[in-house]
Amino acid sequence: MAELHVELVAADRKVWSGKASLVVARTSSGEIGIMPGHQPLLGVLASGPVTIRTTGEGADGAAGKNGTVIAAVHGGFISFTDNKLSLLTEIAELSYEIDVERAERALENAKAEQDAAAERRADVRLRAVAVAH
């Protein structure tokens, strides 16, 4: 099975690293799927869930159901060359790290305060958890 090496890195830490058969992410141009052998790519990541279909455990053992890792990503860049995919983000959280009740409260507060950026961040967190389950 063909594989690509994936690095998901936030400003403050390496979030996930491992082998995958498919990565789906949202870019400023729309949703994109990257598989082994994809054309070289450099793009801007939009906020949204990232789905990584693993071919084994990542460096941190975070493979979820059916070998899938889901992360909430809040902006950044995506780069692919030589079967190496880098997702460089400002903030990234694996779905199992997200406190759902806290994210729901943050969404309610953001709506009440009409804070679009905070509302978007909370919504992305909740979507990542929903995709993971």
Side-chain angles (χ1 to χ4, degrees):
M1 170 184 254
E3 298 178 317
L4 55 108
H5 181 75
V6 179
E7 295 274 335
L8 174 56
V9 180
D12 62 342
R13 67 186 175 124
K14 182 187 289 187
V15 179
W16 189 87
S17 176
K19 302 289 184 185
S21 60
L22 171 68
V23 176
V24 178
R26 179 165 299 285
T27 70
S28 58
S29 300
E31 198 165 77
I32 187 168
I34 306 290
M35 297 176 70
H38 195 282
Q39 291 293 314
L41 163 77
L42 179 61
V44 176
L45 279 173
S47 292
V50 169
T51 302
I52 303 168
R53 301 280 162 103
T54 67
T55 57
E57 286 191 358
D60 64 357
K65 70 174 185 179
N66 302 322
T68 302
V69 173
I70 308 292
V73 172
H74 306 280
F77 298 94
I78 183 170
S79 171
F80 181 77
T81 188
D82 298 326
N83 277 334
K84 295 178 185 166
L85 179 67
S86 297
L87 300 152
L88 308 171
T89 73
E90 297 171 34
I91 301 168
E93 303 163 277
L94 295 171
S95 60
Y96 70 83
E97 298 173 330
I98 297 169
D99 180 335
V100 175
E101 290 178 7
R102 183 173 176 228
E104 288 171 342
R105 283 192 309 271
L107 181 60
E108 290 173 16
N109 291 339
K111 285 180 178 179
E113 296 172 10
Q114 297 181 348
D115 183 342
E119 187 174 340
R120 192 169 38 254
R121 285 189 304 273
D123 180 62
V124 167
R125 287 180 179 107
L126 291 171
R127 285 190 291 140
V129 170
V131 170
H133 292 101

